[in-house]
Amino acid sequence: MLVIATGQPMGANQQKLLIAAAVAFGILAICVVVGAWPRKVTPGVRPVDLIVWADEGDLPDTAARNLALHYEDAYEANKKQLDRLTHLHMVCLFMFALTIVILTARLIGV
């Protein structure tokens, strides 16, 4: 029989709970590192892009169209990044809650 705290024996179910809590916490730690990793997000059009479009000699309508297409591309790329981060955040919250529930179950002796 293993002992975790003084006078508190650890049975087979409690060992499984501790392993499950450790796995959930490990997944949480990995998700936090992945979520904190720097990502490229384009907030808008760079001034250099505007100058290049203005210097191409396009008509104002064509330049506005190109600018709108660039904004759409940046929006789609940013949306993908933010959607991934949102899903990762939800996984982190779930893993954190799961870790707390498992450790609580362990403490009450389930």
Side-chain angles (χ1 to χ4, degrees), residues 43-86:
V45 176
R46 299 177 309 179
V48 173
D49 294 336
L50 291 174
I51 292 169
V52 168
W53 287 325
D55 287 344
E56 286 180 353
D58 291 335
L59 296 173
D61 290 341
T62 304
R65 178 183 169 278
N66 290 340
L67 180 61
L69 290 173
H70 180 75
Y71 269 119
E72 181 183 16
D73 292 342
Y75 172 81
E76 290 299 323
N78 290 339
K79 185 176 180 332
K80 287 178 185 176
Q81 291 288 341
L82 293 175
D83 286 347
R84 285 186 197 128
L85 286 175
T86 300

Side-chain angles (χ1 to χ4, degrees), residues 12-60:
N13 287 337
Q14 293 178 3
Q15 185 176 10
K16 291 174 187 174
L17 287 173
L18 286 175
I19 291 171
V23 169
F25 189 77
I27 293 171
L28 171 64
I30 291 169
C31 289
V32 167
V33 169
V34 170
W37 206 262
R39 286 171 173 58
K40 181 180 178 186
V41 176
T42 307
V45 176
R46 299 177 309 179
V48 173
D49 294 336
L50 291 174
I51 292 169
V52 168
W53 287 325
D55 287 344
E56 286 180 353
D58 291 335
L59 296 173

Side-chain angles (χ1 to χ4, degrees), residues 14 16-32 90-108:
Q14 293 178 3
K16 291 174 187 174
L17 287 173
L18 286 175
I19 291 171
V23 169
F25 189 77
I27 293 171
L28 171 64
I30 291 169
C31 289
V32 167
M90 297 309 290
V91 168
C92 285
L93 288 175
F94 177 76
M95 287 297 147
F96 181 69
L98 184 62
T99 302
I100 297 297
V101 167
I102 291 170
L103 290 176
T104 302
R106 161 62 180 97
L107 285 175
I108 62 174

